[in-house]
């Protein structure tokens, strides 16, 4: 019955294409601090505030300071008091600035966009077992390597170590080899929680996630579905109107199919109940769509 009703209609194909396109769009979203690795979910959004991590190195007769600006969940803000060439371009999440000091003179030596949403962030996640945590690798643009002139693809490997101690610590500069920056951050957000929602290892971040006002990915998916359905109805009605001069109920695209839906649901229900009582839809065998 159901198969007969949807025969010769491109609606299933349309729905298939729709769900496929929303799936692709979802994976195209920039890194928003929530992700899942295997059975564990992580929500790094409590760490979203901008961090500045510095490392001081003696380079006689000067002194070099590596300064990392890090904004995990959204792009770094433009610094109005710093000239354009001395800061990373818009769309940067992690920016490394090398500053050289000699006596009282300060010179910005290099400005390196380490992770950029304007390029491809292309996040790679890896859970760590001992010590427990998760590492997130984010990518940026190529930048000339310090020991030769070849461009080196920049990236940052941030290791979030599971640490529930109070007060929370700030991230640490581990190393930079001219291509990959390594940072380490001991934080409760490195612990993760069970992805199925039960057995929360980290109740705080779990609650924060559901408590925040923004839509979850499921919410976005349903919203997209609704918008697409409205567009389908609207465009279908417009098509029927302009092509066939339809009006009223005839405006509904695939009208025959939608009129069948209640009967199909009834069929499905009665089929499910058929173990209890005989199928009633048998009486309706000769039903013809109007
Ligand atoms: C530049 O240096 C890096 C790091 O040592 C190396 O991986 C890369 O191959 C070098 N490029 C050239 C052209 O020598
Ligand atoms: C990032 O760092 C962690 C911990 O140091 C390591 O296990 C992981 O392999 C690193 N990832 C990459 C891509 O280098």
């Amino acid at each position: 019955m159901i198969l007969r009703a949807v025969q010769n209609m491109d609606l299933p194909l349309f729905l298939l294409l729709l769900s496929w396109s929303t799936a692709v769009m979802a994976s195209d979203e920039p890194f928003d601090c929530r992700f899942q690795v295997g059975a564990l979910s992580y929500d790094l959004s409590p760490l979203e505030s901008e961090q500045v991590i510095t490392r001081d190195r003696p380079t006689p007769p000067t002194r070099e300071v590596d300064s990392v600006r890090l904004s995990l969940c959204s792009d770094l803000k433009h610094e109005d008091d710093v000239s354009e060439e001395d800061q990373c371009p818009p769309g940067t999440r992690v920016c490394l600035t090398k500053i050289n000091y000699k006596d009282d003179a300060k010179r910005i030596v290099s400005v390196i966009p380490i992770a950029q949403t304007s390029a491809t962030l292309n996040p790679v996640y890896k859970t760590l077992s001992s010590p427990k945590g998760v590492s997130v690798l984010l990518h940026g643009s190529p930048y000339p390597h310090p020991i030769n002139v070849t461009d080196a693809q920049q990236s940052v490997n941030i290791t979030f170590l599971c640490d529930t101690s109070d007060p929370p610590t700030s991230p640490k500069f581990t190393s930079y080899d001219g291509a990959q920056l390594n940072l380490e951050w001991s934080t409760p957000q490195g612990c993760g929680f069970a992805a199925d929602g039960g057995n929360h290892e980290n109740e705080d971040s779990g609650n924060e996630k559901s408590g925040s006002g923004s839509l979850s990915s499921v919410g976005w998916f349903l919203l997209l579905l609704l918008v697409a359905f409205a567009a389908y109805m609207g465009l279908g009605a417009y098509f029927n109107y302009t092509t066939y001069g339809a009006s009223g109920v005839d405006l509904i695209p695939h009208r025959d199919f939608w009129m069948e839906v209640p009967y199909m649901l009834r069929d499905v229900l009665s089929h499910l109940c058929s173990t209890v009582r005989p199928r009633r839809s048998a009486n309706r065998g000769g039903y013809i769509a109007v």
Side-chain angles (χ1 to χ4, degrees), residues 132-255:
K132 200 177 159 215
V134 65
S135 75
V136 178
L137 185 71
L138 302 173
H139 297 85
S141 304
Y143 188 90
H145 197 276
I147 61 171
N148 55 36
V149 287
T150 343
D151 276 357
Q153 169 65 46
Q154 301 296 314
S155 63
V156 61
N157 183 4
I158 314 175
T159 304
F160 298 92
L161 295 176
C162 176
D163 178 7
T164 50
S165 63
D166 216 29
T169 60
S170 40
K172 285 191 196 69
F173 195 117
T174 315
S175 64
Y176 177 64
D177 64 359
Q180 183 168 312
L181 170 70
N182 288 291
L183 302 176
E184 193 178 290
W185 201 342
S186 295
T187 161
Q189 276 70 42
C191 304
F193 49 90
D196 58 8
N199 182 28
H200 277 226
E201 267 184 72
N202 189 343
E203 282 295 340
D204 275 351
S205 63
N207 287 343
E208 196 134 344
K209 188 175 181 178
S210 53
S212 72
S214 65
L215 242 56
S216 69
S217 45
V218 174
W220 277 112
F221 179 79
L222 291 179
L223 185 71
L224 268 174
L225 217 59
L226 199 73
V227 168
F229 185 75
Y232 156 75
M233 279 293 174
L235 287 174
Y238 179 74
F239 176 80
N240 282 349
Y241 177 74
T242 51
T243 316
Y244 307 116
S247 63
V249 167
D250 287 336
L251 281 174
I252 301 175
H254 301 115
R255 195 195 62 167

Side-chain angles (χ1 to χ4, degrees), residues 46-102:
L47 308 177
E48 67 185 351
S49 65
E50 185 181 321
Q51 304 285 326
V52 177
I53 311 134
T54 54
R55 175 177 74 163
D56 219 323
R57 287 189 309 146
T59 48
T62 65
R63 182 168 68 89
E64 193 158 286
V65 174
D66 296 333
S67 168
V68 177
R69 280 176 73 212
L70 163 71
S71 170
L72 213 49
C73 310
S74 56
D75 296 341
L76 282 165
K77 300 218 165 33
H78 183 268
E79 287 183 297
D80 293 330
D81 53 343
V82 178
S83 77
E84 217 64 50
E85 58 175 9
D86 286 345
Q87 60 179 303
C88 286
T92 304
R93 297 269 173 113
V94 181
C95 181
L96 170 64
T97 311
K98 287 176 176 285
I99 308 157
N100 188 272
Y101 291 92
K102 188 172 186 191

